Amino acid sequence: MRSIVDSLTSWDNAFLTTIFDLGGKRFLASAMPWLSHTGNGYYYPLVPLILYFCDPQLAKLFFLRALVAFGIELPAYKILKNLIKRDRPCVALAVVHSRITPSDQFSFPSGHTAAAVVMATLLTTLLPPLMPLFFGWAFLVGLSRVYLGVHYPSDIIAGTFLGLICALVSLTVIV
């Protein structure tokens, strides 16, 4: 697995540099840390609470699915990070600095992106018309992590697949 990640380096560096170089834009400088923060997970418990006021049964279904999905996603992303041990771009590349304090040492896969994709997928199953909003937010969480210098684009892609797999397993288990 490590060799696959290493082979992506030139592709990753090209896209990372392009996104990171957008740093002079004042709007991005203020929006991207905020977007990244929305993927931290602090707000996720509010979702079933809000759903509860609309439809208690829907809230219960969402909560159970989220428990299963995050019960898989959290340990999986931590195990992958510690097995692969890919340095963050802000550590590995002289031209990239971290615009935030990373949540842990390694970058592959992006846990923020994985969690955002879990949320987007689960919410889409309950509110299909809002799918563009949910996945647009998840995409922006991932993009923000690259912009902030703490992830490579391939970390985001891996986080997307991880989150999608965990959500789909959850949807299969909790019908």
Side-chain angles (χ1 to χ4, degrees):
M1 185 77 157
R2 174 75 184 182
S3 63
I4 294 170
V5 173
D6 288 342
S7 69
L8 296 172
T9 300
S10 63
W11 178 87
D12 263 346
N13 288 346
F15 281 98
L16 168 72
T17 304
T18 301
I19 295 167
F20 188 79
D21 285 345
L22 297 172
K25 311 293 187 226
R26 195 180 318 215
F27 173 74
L28 292 178
S30 60
M32 290 302 197
W34 177 81
L35 278 165
S36 176
H37 184 73
T38 66
N40 283 355
Y42 301 124
Y43 307 109
Y44 295 167
L46 294 176
V47 174
L49 184 62
I50 292 167
L51 286 172
Y52 182 80
F53 291 112
C54 300
D55 183 341
Q57 285 300 106
L58 210 58
K60 180 182 175 186
L61 180 63
F62 177 84
F63 181 74
L64 292 173
R65 288 175 173 173
L67 276 180
V68 170
F70 283 112
I72 300 166
E73 183 269 332
L74 286 167
Y77 108 87
K78 288 199 179 270
I79 289 168
L80 285 169
K81 277 193 183 222
N82 289 308
L83 280 175
I84 296 168
K85 296 183 178 181
R86 183 183 200 188
D87 285 332
R88 291 185 181 274
C90 56
V91 173
L93 304 173
V95 296
V96 176
H97 64 276
S98 176
R99 293 182 170 126
I100 59 167
T101 302
S103 53
D104 55 33
Q105 183 180 359
F106 302 118
S107 73
F108 188 93
S110 168
H112 279 74
T113 305
V117 169
V118 164
M119 290 298 286
T121 304
L122 296 181
L123 285 168
T124 294
T125 63
L126 301 179
L127 303 163
L130 297 179
M131 180 178 80
L133 177 70
F134 298 141
F135 280 100
W137 164 76
F139 171 80
L140 289 173
V141 168
L143 181 66
S144 74
R145 304 298 288 169
V146 176
Y147 172 86
L148 295 168
V150 294
H151 281 290
Y152 293 95
S154 62
D155 300 340
I156 305 309
I157 293 167
T160 299
F161 282 116
L162 176 62
L164 192 56
I165 289 166
C166 295
L168 292 176
V169 167
S170 171
L171 291 168
T172 303
V173 173
I174 308 294
V175 181

